Amino acid sequence: MTTDVTTTVPARPSRAARIGRIAFLVVAGIAVVAVAVAFFVTWTIQRSFPHTEGSLELDGLQGTVTVQRDASGVPTISAGSSHDLFFAEGFVHAQDRFFEMDFRRHVTAGRVAEMFGESQAGTDAFLRTLGWRKVAEAEVAAMDDTTRGYYESYADGVNAYLDSHAGAELSLEYAVLGVQNPDYTPEPWEPADSVAWLKAMAWDLRGNIDDETERALLASELAAGGTDAAGTTALIEELYPAYPFDDNPVIVPKISALPTGTGAEPASARSAPDDGTGAEIVQATTSIEWEEASSVIEAAGILIGDMGEGIGSNSWVVSGSLTETGLPLLANDPHLGASLPSVWYQVQLRCTTVDEDCPFDLAGFSFSGLPGIVIGHNQKIAWGFTNLTTDVTDLYIERVQGDQYWRDGVLQPITESTETIEVAGGDDIELTIRSTVHGPIISGLTDDFTAIADDPAPGLAAGATPAPEGEQAEYAVSLRWTALDPGTAATAVFGLSTAQSFDEFRAAAALFDVPAQNLIYADTDGNIGYQTPGRLPIRGAGDGWMPQPGWDSSYDWTGFIPFEELPVAYNPGSGYIVTANNAIVTDDYDYFLSRDWDYGYRAARIAHMIERRAATAPLTADDMRDIQMDGEMWIGKRLASAMEDVDVSGAGPREAVDLLRTWDAQNSASSAAAAYANVLWSTLVRNVFADREQPLPIDSQSRLFTVVGALLDDPAAALWTNERIGVSSREEMLALSAEQAYDELVRLQGTTVSRWNWGDLHAITLTSDTFGSSGIPPIEALFNRGPFPVGGGASTVNATGWEIGNGFATTTVPSMRMVVDLSDFDASTWIHLTGASGHAFHQHYVDQTEDWAAGIQRPWAFSAAAVKRSTVDTLVLSPRE
């Protein structure tokens, strides 16, 4: 018997059904992978977040330390000894910012290639040649035992954190770095790692070396193009004019001898001085009374209305005679390159019992990697910094013959040393460092210095003696710079922190040699003051404006200006002191300081606003914060006036120019007129200077304000003619620039003029110094943030700088802002660019940025009661049993 068996074969799914099932499986698989990756990335990121609550036991502590953090993550550290205070500061800095600290110390030591490979070897060679690390080591060795102990305690605290954390536990960056350089492990922290960072800041604030280099190169280029020596000199002096003393203020315009005494009566309590000088100063030294000429204030208001795009700063202090509280207000906002994380770290350091052994009770802005506080206040005084902008660097043209160089007709041996640059994933590089009596030879390391050495004659200082002849002789460029000599700024930090009077403040300032800074002062007794500190050279035959002949010792530095002869002011009769990188003194001062000041537009505007507001009502902390955010654009007002009689072609350009007629000259983020004014300014500068057969430098907008301001007053000036773009008059240049500026803004923000805005055009993107510019978008996205719209601009008080010819994005910033109220420290306010944390994705990574951009400052608790009220996290550190 047979049985028929019928087999039922399932119908084949349709193509659509099969694709759908495959798609589901693929999506499900991707989802699983994505979730797994998300968990892994989140775990990797968060494992480095700091422990901020509860308790930790640490080896190396002598007693219990309390770390209270507020809603911004800002710590107040309270300890029973100086050792534990700085130990805990090192530990907390490492918690929040260790990768930044580690990267910085590799930069200052010329060891970046050890982390990031051969691409960084050239940078390392230059930094090794400068020798910052060796100078830092010498400074540590020369410290007194107490100060060195602070640095050692700090290093112990950093290392206590490293003892319990490694790799991605330290920071997300180490997880990424491990892909490229899996063998990298951070070394223990050393005191010299801290001190070396001050050298990096000195380089950031190095003075006129860039201008000196630029002038030397321009002289060579003009000579090569056929311009004679007289024409070259005239053009360079036109492009680098003298400081406008008649229009903008100097910080200390009149020096007077002071009677001997121990102090001064508070400015707010004094009657008018009897001598008619406008100042009552009691110090056993020279001092400066602020003598504000009416033309300065008139200039700020009359010039149809105010070095911020570069590195600089604003600071000012107002006495109680002008304030609502009857006690001083002090404001400060240093201008530095934008960085993520910010260069600043807010912290309060408090000894539980303030005495000789533990004298610290202060709050302010520190550098991660450096113990103590750099700018801030203690329980008695407040202080702030701006860059002094004195000339502390000189280039020397050396006449080199083999391994010798000429000096006063005699060949001297070049000093040589050899170092090894270790390269991650590559071969070591042997570096030979050569030096003369002036300093390290830096030509051959960068294109600009090498170009000067290749053709030095046109750029030499006027009147230089001829170079000696010699067989096979060649030229080199060496660098004389105050920061390459061991100094005492690393000690001065602690003197400022504990000063209780102007005398003690000045004693600390005398140690603050590099980087040279304007120091302003206020105290709770009502006094205000100013001190020029720094190791400021006394020059021989030259002034450092152009490279000097190294073969002639008469051009050498002959010493440094004695501290007691440096400008100082105390309780000026005007009731205020303003510093904004402007000229410190007039040219009749006994010593040469510089020809490369910021041109004073910010200083004039600040002084004008202080006087204008004080004339109507007593000044408040709100006034100080408003002044910090002022965005009046001096050159914008000049352009608006100049455009009134210029005919432009096209309805669109005419509509754009009309914006300037009603503009308040404020670079507000929402302003369409500000957007057009800045694009017009950029276009005009490029047309007048850069887009020529012989391009001219366009680096400093403060300088260009002065140069173009003079050109606008001189329709016949030769620079209005530019054959390359077919322009032969001022009116043609302005019209063409206005039309091109319209076209550029249309390209950037569209044809609707009313929708243009400066904030988006000028926005800042916060970029990590390392992986943020890696060229790998997914990695950059991990670390970078923004863009954030901002107002302000170049050489405005709210100095958000940008580079002409490279777009309009903000590149330099008021890195922090603070207003200290000497009547009640708890009423003070502060803010900085990013946040307390250096950990990407942490809640305090960039939580201050939007407030910073908007000009909002956060409360700054100082008293124990105020700190307690603001505390959200408390961590107790104790010795390990």
Side-chain angles (χ1 to χ4, degrees):
M1 177 180 170
T2 62
T3 305
D4 293 329
V5 178
T6 304
T7 302
T8 304
V9 178
R12 182 177 178 83
S14 69
R15 182 184 298 270
R18 283 186 281 121
I19 291 174
R21 183 177 299 170
I22 293 169
F24 171 78
L25 293 173
V26 170
V27 169
I30 290 174
V32 170
V33 171
V35 170
V37 169
F39 274 117
F40 175 77
V41 170
T42 301
W43 174 76
T44 300
I45 291 170
Q46 293 184 348
R47 65 192 294 211
S48 65
F49 288 2
H51 191 98
T52 59
E53 293 183 284
S55 61
L56 290 173
E57 293 185 350
L58 301 173
D59 290 327
L61 277 177
Q62 299 171 349
T64 299
V65 178
T66 302
V67 182
Q68 300 163 273
R69 292 182 184 257
D70 67 11
S72 298
V74 175
T76 293
I77 302 172
S78 302
S81 68
S82 295
H83 166 81
D84 284 356
L85 189 67
F86 294 117
F87 181 105
E89 186 183 19
F91 184 86
V92 169
H93 276 171
Q95 278 188 309
D96 286 333
R97 299 281 191 91
F98 183 74
F99 182 80
E100 174 192 24
M101 295 162 58
D102 194 20
F103 174 66
R104 283 178 178 174
R105 67 169 165 175
H106 279 78
V107 170
T108 56
R111 296 175 55 192
V112 183
E114 292 180 22
M115 296 181 75
F116 295 99
E118 188 175 4
S119 64
Q120 303 304 311
T123 300
D124 283 352
F126 182 70
L127 296 176
R128 291 280 187 99
T129 299
L130 294 183
W132 293 348
R133 171 71 187 203
K134 289 184 176 180
V135 177
E137 290 171 350
E139 291 185 2
V140 172
M143 286 175 179
D144 63 90
D145 291 342
T146 299
T147 302
R148 190 184 307 108
Y150 297 153
Y151 282 90
E152 290 171 347
S153 298
Y154 180 90
D156 290 343
V158 175
N159 292 329
Y161 191 73
L162 294 182
D163 287 344
S164 57
H165 296 77
E169 295 173 333
L170 284 168
S171 185
L172 174 63
E173 284 90 342
Y174 290 107
V176 178
L177 182 63
V179 176
Q180 173 187 353
N181 187 3
D183 297 329
Y184 179 77
T185 302
E187 298 172 352
W189 194 263
E190 298 178 358
D193 294 327
S194 297
V195 176
W197 183 242
L198 292 175
K199 302 302 170 188
M201 294 307 299
W203 182 255
D204 212 16
L205 304 169
R206 59 193 173 273
N208 81 330
I209 188 172
D210 293 333
D211 288 335
E212 185 178 337
T213 300
E214 196 171 69
R215 286 190 290 265
L217 292 173
L218 178 59
S220 179
E221 291 165 0
L222 290 172
T227 305
D228 62 20
T232 294
T233 299
L235 180 57
I236 289 177
E237 290 183 350
E238 181 179 7
L239 295 174
Y240 294 86
Y243 184 84
F245 290 107
D246 292 339
D247 297 323
N248 291 343
V250 297
I251 299 169
V252 283
K254 184 176 181 182
I255 300 177
S256 58
L258 297 178
T260 300
T262 58
E265 186 181 1
S268 56
R270 294 196 320 268
S271 59
D274 295 331
D275 63 359
T277 65
E280 180 173 323
I281 309 171
V282 188
Q283 286 293 320
T285 181
T286 56
S287 186
I288 285 71
E289 105 191 26
W290 185 290
E291 188 179 78
E292 192 70 55
S294 60
S295 62
V296 172
I297 301 303
E298 291 171 358
I302 292 176
L303 287 176
I304 40 176
D306 167 40
M307 158 169 123
E309 83 281 4
I311 305 303
S313 299
N314 302 322
S315 70
W316 63 91
V317 60
V318 180
S319 80
S321 63
L322 299 179
T323 68
E324 187 176 73
T325 66
L327 284 172
L329 294 166
L330 184 149
N332 195 190
D333 54 290
H335 309 155
L336 298 168
S339 61
L340 177 62
S342 164
V343 69
W344 298 109
Y345 185 92
Q346 297 156 294
V347 65
Q348 182 167 182
L349 303 174
R350 172 162 288 160
C351 295
T352 51
T353 300
V354 178
D355 56 24
E356 185 176 350
D357 293 330
C358 194
F360 300 100
D361 185 6
L362 69 156
F365 293 87
S366 68
F367 295 140
S368 57
L370 186 74
I373 284 172
V374 179
I375 296 175
H377 70 83
N378 59 30
Q379 76 279 26
K380 182 69 174 181
I381 76 163
W383 67 95
F385 287 2
T386 64
N387 194 26
L388 204 63
T389 61
T390 46
D391 185 359
V392 294
T393 57
D394 279 345
L395 298 176
Y396 282 88
I397 307 298
E398 308 286 5
R399 187 63 162 163
V400 174
Q401 193 165 333
D403 58 359
Q404 298 176 301
Y405 67 101
W406 286 95
R407 181 169 169 79
D408 293 336
V410 178
L411 282 168
Q412 303 286 344
I414 291 175
T415 302
E416 291 192 357
S417 62
T418 302
E419 296 198 15
T420 301
I421 299 174
E422 297 180 11
V423 179
D427 297 330
D428 292 351
I429 298 172
E430 294 299 312
L431 172 68
T432 299
I433 298 171
R434 304 191 302 160
S435 300
T436 72
V437 67
H438 301 113
I441 292 175
I442 53 177
S443 50
L445 297 171
T446 71
D447 291 343
D448 285 349
F449 298 139
T450 302
I452 293 174
D454 289 343
D455 185 21
L460 267 176
T465 54
E469 297 296 331
E471 294 182 7
Q472 297 181 333
E474 57 187 17
Y475 293 99
V477 176
S478 65
L479 172 66
R480 182 74 172 102
W481 178 30
T482 55
L484 300 186
D485 300 326
T488 52
T491 299
V493 169
F494 303 101
L496 292 172
S497 296
T498 56
Q500 300 292 297
S501 67
F502 193 59
D503 285 339
E504 294 180 9
F505 170 79
R506 293 190 65 239
L511 299 175
F512 206 101
D513 46 9
V514 177
Q517 299 287 290
N518 294 297
L519 299 185
I520 59 167
Y521 167 94
D523 64 37
T524 56
D525 292 331
N527 301 300
I528 65 173
Y530 164 87
Q531 177 66 54
T532 296
R535 190 188 303 141
L536 307 183
I538 299 173
R539 289 175 169 83
D543 64 5
W545 206 59
M546 298 289 272
Q548 314 290 305
W551 52 85
D552 185 346
S553 66
S554 69
Y555 285 84
D556 288 357
W557 295 358
T558 62
F560 299 96
I561 302 174
F563 180 77
E564 292 303 321
E565 298 182 39
L566 291 172
V568 56
Y570 193 61
N571 293 332
S574 63
Y576 67 88
I577 302 167
V578 174
T579 82
N581 317 119
N582 50 315
I584 301 170
V585 290
T586 55
D587 281 344
D588 58 0
Y589 180 59
D590 288 343
Y591 299 97
F592 173 80
L593 295 177
S594 181
R595 291 173 63 182
D596 287 308
W597 308 107
D598 177 273
Y599 283 81
Y601 297 99
R602 286 179 288 116
R605 177 64 177 166
I606 292 166
H608 171 65
M609 288 188 288
I610 289 172
E611 292 206 355
R612 185 184 64 190
R613 289 174 180 242
T616 59
L619 297 170
T620 67
D622 284 339
D623 290 317
M624 304 298 101
R625 288 184 283 269
D626 288 346
I627 292 173
Q628 286 179 325
M629 292 302 294
D630 181 76
E632 185 173 283
M633 182 185 180
W634 181 87
I635 196 64
K637 300 181 82 167
R638 293 298 316 271
L639 289 177
S641 177
M643 290 302 302
E644 287 182 0
D645 299 323
V646 175
D647 291 328
V648 296
S649 300
R654 284 194 292 271
E655 184 181 5
V657 171
D658 283 343
L659 291 173
L660 303 180
R661 303 185 193 284
T662 57
W663 181 40
D664 60 3
Q666 288 288 330
N667 276 339
S668 305
S670 61
S671 172
Y676 182 67
N678 279 274
V679 176
L680 172 58
W681 164 241
S682 173
T683 306
L684 178 65
V685 166
R686 284 179 283 137
N687 282 341
V688 173
F689 302 104
D691 192 11
R692 312 178 73 90
E693 293 299 331
Q694 170 60 64
L696 302 174
I698 57 171
D699 56 321
S700 166
Q701 294 194 49
S702 171
R703 174 177 64 81
L704 291 171
F705 278 20
T706 302
V707 175
V708 174
L711 288 176
L712 290 171
D713 292 333
D714 182 9
L719 283 171
W720 289 123
T721 298
N722 185 347
E723 295 179 358
R724 180 168 179 169
I725 58 175
V727 168
S728 59
S729 71
R730 182 184 66 177
E731 284 65 30
E732 288 180 4
M733 183 70 77
L734 289 171
L736 176 64
S737 298
E739 293 157 10
Q740 291 176 336
Y742 170 80
D743 292 339
E744 184 167 3
L745 257 178
V746 166
R747 178 179 61 82
L748 294 170
Q749 294 193 331
T751 58
T752 305
V753 169
S754 61
R755 297 182 65 180
W756 292 347
N757 74 89
W758 176 232
D760 287 343
L761 196 63
H762 190 46
I764 183 171
T765 297
L766 298 174
T767 304
S768 164
D769 290 336
T770 53
F771 295 110
S773 54
S774 66
I776 306 172
I779 290 179
E780 292 181 354
L782 289 174
F783 299 104
N784 297 344
R785 299 293 182 269
F788 299 90
V790 295
S795 279
T796 68
V797 178
N798 182 19
T800 53
W802 53 280
E803 299 176 5
I804 291 179
N806 290 310
F808 302 92
T810 296
T811 56
T812 58
V813 295
S815 54
M816 65 81 162
R817 300 185 185 98
M818 74 174 191
V819 175
V820 181
D821 188 336
L822 276 295
S823 73
D824 178 6
F825 286 124
D826 288 337
S828 304
T829 55
W830 58 354
I831 196 76
H832 73 105
L833 178 62
T834 59
S837 180
H839 297 288
F841 300 99
H842 191 277
Q843 62 175 326
H844 299 309
Y845 189 48
V846 291
D847 62 319
Q848 297 191 41
T849 303
E850 290 187 356
D851 283 351
W852 170 87
I856 298 169
Q857 296 185 31
R858 297 185 177 183
W860 183 353
F862 180 69
S863 69
V867 170
K868 183 177 181 180
R869 288 193 299 270
S870 66
T871 297
V872 297
D873 288 332
T874 300
L875 176 66
V876 178
L877 306 176
S878 58
R880 192 182 303 278
E881 297 295 337

